[in-house]
Amino acid sequence: MTEAAVSAARKTYLTSPTRPDLRVPMKEVPLSTGESVVLYDTSGPYTDPAYEVDVRRGLPALRAKWIAERGDTAEYDGRPVRPEDDGRRSTNRDRAALSFRPPRRPRRATGGPVTQRAYARRGEITPEMEFVALREGVEPEFVRAELAAGRAVLPANVNHPEIEPMIIGRNFLVKVNANIGNSAVASSIEEEVEKMTWATRWGADTIMDLSTGRDIHTTREWILRNSPVPVGTVPLYQALEKVGGNPADLTWEVFRDTVIEQAEQGVDYMTVHAGVLLRYIPLTARRKTGIVSRGGSIMAAWCLAHHEENFLYTHFRELCEIFAAYDITWSLGDGLRPGSIADANDEAQFAELRTQGELTRIAAEYDNQVMNEGPGHIPMHKIKENVDLQRQWCDDAPFYTLGPLTTDIAPGYDHITSAIGAAMIGWYGTAMLCYVTPKEHLGLPDKDDVKAGVIAYKIAAHAADLAKGHKGAQAWDDALSDARFEFRWEDQFNLSLDPDTARSFHDETLPAAPAKTAHFCSMCGPHFCSMKITQDVRRFAEERGLSEQEALAEGMKAKAEEFTASGGRVYLPLTPTDG
Ligand code: IRN
Ligand code: FE2
């Protein structure tokens, strides 16, 4: 079910000088020069040939020892999940065949908060913090300080020991989230697990399981036990299934129980639309596209049906206590985000953002880790204001945005309309980018769409890292540029974000193996390759002991004479080979 490692890259591990059990996986790309480039790696054990994949057993519990050693959590008998809790279940499936083995018992705090932020505030550097410090190439103390200040989050539920810890914050590498999850109409559990391994293979830093419909609980269990990256959810979706799909029938109790059920499974962060207040709903009435957030529209429908304040807002402190007991990270939803260019940065959107700020401060009282979700559809000139206001109103908590899409005119290409906005907003300081696939607004993404979305967003995230001057980001570009300039084709493929596509495009034009060592590219051909000409000039200069400028002048003169002598023809017939 999992594919081989991308390109010729091999798995390598950074080790901690102080903790022998701490091994940070990295991707090492060997070059034909004998050197190698070491890159950040999200693909998990699946790309380690020494690892035997067994989806029914799940990944090794890397963090189990660290969690147990802290001595502040204990196993207990989880709430039994009754069949009716599981949303609309399928009837034609063998239940036993779907259940995960061996069953596990959940843990929770036995006393105060067990969040990474609580430890950070007490001055403790946890193994998880040390892990991300190695992974990002920064000092562990820096990681601790950013977490303590609430400028970064390290999503790591005590019931998700399988993850390779990662950090989300504006002073770290920009991260990418990929949404997977079936809707009621399509997809199977196996397909969803495969979408997860596929998304992380291409570089997704977290995934969100947005499953609705049948077998939600079981699908999530399979994804969690096999996911090397943090998993996020929107618990409201499952709560709605439990009450039969009518928002008016939702209750605080059903929602709370769903959060606990998912907390016990190990969900690392949760989208909660607690900022959609009753009094903001009328602000959306005159919008071009109303409320486009699924969670936002569910809560708006509930508020209007009961004419009561959003129960996620009125019970927020109780949720903070639950989140503190499992270390769940808040992803405060943007239920009133604009769904069109016309609605960007309007009153409804910014009213909710202010409330996100208020909730961010309340969650901090409970040592909760918090991110804020952001838009949506925003034209380029209105993007910066979003980041500036979020930083100001939400105390610099990590911003996590959906794109934004910079224009509405290209259904089928919204991974591109939104990657443009994502690159910009990442540059201004957004910490994590929620991908958009080519199927946005049109249908359910398949494997190709997941890959297209992740790659588009890795480009946006890396472009932002470069623009922010993130330490070390440019080394990757430099290595690839060197390979390109020196016509090391295989190195160029192997260093690229998508080696398969790069290699196949080159093969389409120049399929023969010698073309891989040829000193020109398929675009300009042998006679007009600018990189080859530059190299010729340098060689010419070296041979004659001239400076590059002098060589250019002399070379140009010689070329001009040669050109006139040959009759002044501009186009020369291409020969099949040229040095
Ligand atoms: C991210 C930023 N703003 C929204 N998102 C994501 O959108 C959110 O994390 C979730 O994955 C998805 C669906 O959210 P709604 O439509 O329920 O708000
Ligand atoms: Fe949209």
Side-chain angles (χ1 to χ4, degrees):
M1 74 161 282
T2 33
E3 338 269 320
V6 176
S7 82
R10 16 174 220 254
K11 204 87 177 175
T12 180
Y13 292 90
L14 302 178
T15 49
S16 153
T18 51
R19 288 187 153 270
D21 61 334
L22 201 152
R23 292 165 79 232
V24 179
M26 302 292 280
K27 183 163 103 174
E28 185 174 12
V29 182
L31 304 180
S32 60
T33 56
E35 295 155 318
S36 66
V37 177
V38 176
L39 300 171
Y40 195 100
D41 177 31
T42 56
S43 61
Y46 301 103
T47 47
D48 187 339
Y51 177 71
E52 231 175 89
V53 180
D54 176 357
V55 286
R56 271 169 197 280
R57 185 196 56 206
L59 294 178
L62 193 66
R63 295 173 59 227
K65 195 163 144 260
W66 306 339
I67 295 164
E69 273 172 5
R70 287 196 273 266
D72 54 2
T73 56
E75 287 185 2
Y76 66 101
D77 289 320
R79 304 175 172 228
V81 178
R82 299 183 309 273
E84 63 269 28
D85 281 347
D86 206 4
R88 279 177 280 115
R89 300 188 76 152
S90 61
T91 47
N92 56 357
R93 266 187 192 268
D94 177 5
R95 303 270 101 238
L98 285 176
S99 65
F100 212 85
R101 296 277 175 254
R104 2 171 331 274
R105 294 177 76 210
R107 315 177 71 89
R108 72 173 162 225
T110 47
V114 296
T115 64
Q116 293 291 321
R117 189 177 193 177
Y119 306 135
R121 279 184 166 167
R122 291 206 299 260
E124 264 174 57
I125 292 173
T126 62
E128 286 88 344
M129 293 177 206
E130 227 183 297
F131 190 104
V132 300
L134 271 172
R135 207 171 188 186
E136 301 258 350
V138 299
E139 288 302 314
E141 170 52 27
F142 180 71
V143 171
R144 189 205 61 75
E146 290 291 292
L147 289 172
R151 262 195 306 274
V153 295
L154 195 165
N157 185 322
V158 296
N159 292 309
H160 196 189
E162 295 91 349
I163 54 164
E164 296 166 348
M166 54 80 72
I167 193 162
I168 304 165
R170 67 194 322 269
N171 295 319
F172 299 92
L173 290 165
V174 175
K175 303 303 188 297
V176 171
N177 169 67
N179 286 339
I180 57 168
N182 57 321
S183 75
V185 285
S187 208
S188 69
I189 291 175
E190 291 80 0
E191 274 167 14
E192 292 310 322
V193 174
E194 201 185 335
K195 267 188 213 164
M196 179 273 293
T197 55
W198 181 246
T200 55
R201 177 188 164 183
W202 295 109
D205 294 282
T206 72
I207 59 122
M208 288 194 79
D209 174 20
L210 303 186
S211 295
T212 58
R214 296 186 234 110
D215 305 315
I216 298 180
H217 183 96
T218 314
T219 305
R220 192 168 47 234
E221 187 69 21
W222 277 60
I223 290 173
L224 278 161
R225 301 286 74 81
N226 287 291
S227 176
V229 300
V231 174
T233 60
V234 188
L236 190 62
Y237 300 169
Q238 189 186 2
L240 186 67
E241 297 283 349
K242 289 182 186 179
V243 297
N246 181 2
D249 294 338
L250 278 167
T251 62
W252 154 246
E253 288 75 19
V254 169
F255 182 81
R256 178 200 57 205
D257 291 350
T258 307
V259 166
I260 294 172
E261 174 191 334
Q262 298 194 8
E264 290 177 346
Q265 286 189 289
V267 171
D268 301 288
Y269 66 98
M270 295 184 187
T271 298
V272 181
H273 301 82
V276 179
L277 301 191
L278 180 61
R279 65 178 182 277
Y280 302 157
I281 299 167
L283 300 177
T284 63
R286 297 169 67 97
R287 275 181 162 182
K288 195 176 273 299
T289 48
I291 300 177
V292 295
S293 150
R294 191 146 50 135
S297 62
I298 295 168
M299 287 321 298
W302 186 91
C303 291
L304 292 179
H306 297 271
H307 213 83
E308 262 177 53
E309 191 51 278
N310 182 339
F311 61 76
L312 302 171
Y313 180 81
T314 54
H315 289 273
F316 191 76
R317 286 179 183 272
E318 286 154 88
L319 286 171
C320 287
E321 278 167 9
I322 298 170
F323 278 34
Y326 298 91
D327 197 2
I328 298 164
T329 296
W330 287 99
S331 189
L332 289 172
D334 59 336
L336 301 181
R337 66 173 173 271
S340 56
I341 292 300
D343 295 341
N345 294 15
D346 71 355
E347 232 185 306
Q349 185 197 331
F350 286 149
E352 184 187 28
L353 184 61
R354 263 210 192 77
T355 302
Q356 286 190 20
E358 177 198 335
L359 297 170
T360 300
R361 277 180 287 282
I362 294 174
E365 291 175 30
Y366 295 82
D367 284 343
N368 284 183
Q369 306 196 75
V370 190
M371 330 185 248
N372 301 123
E373 293 191 359
H377 290 240
I378 309 279
M380 295 202 297
H381 60 291
K382 293 188 176 174
I383 288 180
K384 187 164 185 295
E385 188 184 6
N386 278 272
V387 187
D388 292 345
L389 293 178
Q390 187 271 339
R391 285 191 71 182
Q392 193 185 323
W393 294 345
C394 305
D395 299 350
D396 245 343
F399 203 20
Y400 165 37
T401 59
L402 183 57
L405 288 76
T406 51
T407 172
D408 298 339
I409 62 164
Y413 296 88
D414 280 329
H415 59 314
I416 297 175
T417 62
S418 67
I420 293 168
M424 288 184 73
I425 211 162
W427 177 18
Y428 295 138
T430 286
M432 183 156 78
L433 308 169
C434 185
Y435 87 168
V436 170
T437 74
K439 290 281 165 65
E440 182 75 8
H441 304 118
L442 302 171
L444 261 188
D446 62 18
K447 261 182 92 170
D448 290 342
D449 302 317
V450 168
K451 177 177 168 184
V454 172
I455 298 279
Y457 273 68
K458 291 298 281 187
I459 295 168
H462 185 74
D465 290 336
L466 284 173
K468 283 163 71 178
H470 191 92
K471 185 174 77 62
Q474 201 187 316
W476 187 359
D477 299 70
D478 291 347
L480 197 140
S481 297
D482 284 341
R484 179 175 289 153
F485 189 70
E486 290 161 18
F487 300 101
R488 287 184 274 114
W489 290 103
E490 285 299 331
D491 291 350
Q492 197 184 153
F493 303 149
N494 291 333
L495 282 166
S496 67
L497 262 182
D498 179 0
D500 304 353
T501 301
R503 186 176 281 109
S504 78
F505 283 5
H506 187 255
D507 284 356
E508 272 172 27
T509 333
L510 295 170
K516 300 291 184 297
T517 51
H519 283 202
F520 57 88
C521 62
S522 49
M523 199 162 98
C524 319
H527 290 287
F528 299 100
C529 177
S530 57
M531 294 216 185
K532 180 180 180 299
I533 292 166
T534 314
Q535 288 190 349
D536 288 349
V537 168
R538 287 193 183 165
R539 198 171 339 106
F540 187 78
E542 231 174 71
E543 280 165 16
R544 287 169 177 72
L546 303 170
S547 76
E548 230 174 87
Q549 275 313 313
E550 291 165 340
L552 266 175
E554 195 166 306
M556 290 296 262
K557 211 172 118 232
K559 278 280 169 205
E561 281 159 12
E562 189 187 308
F563 180 67
T564 332
S566 72
R569 280 182 304 133
V570 173
Y571 293 102
L572 301 173
L574 293 187
T575 47
T577 54
D578 186 61

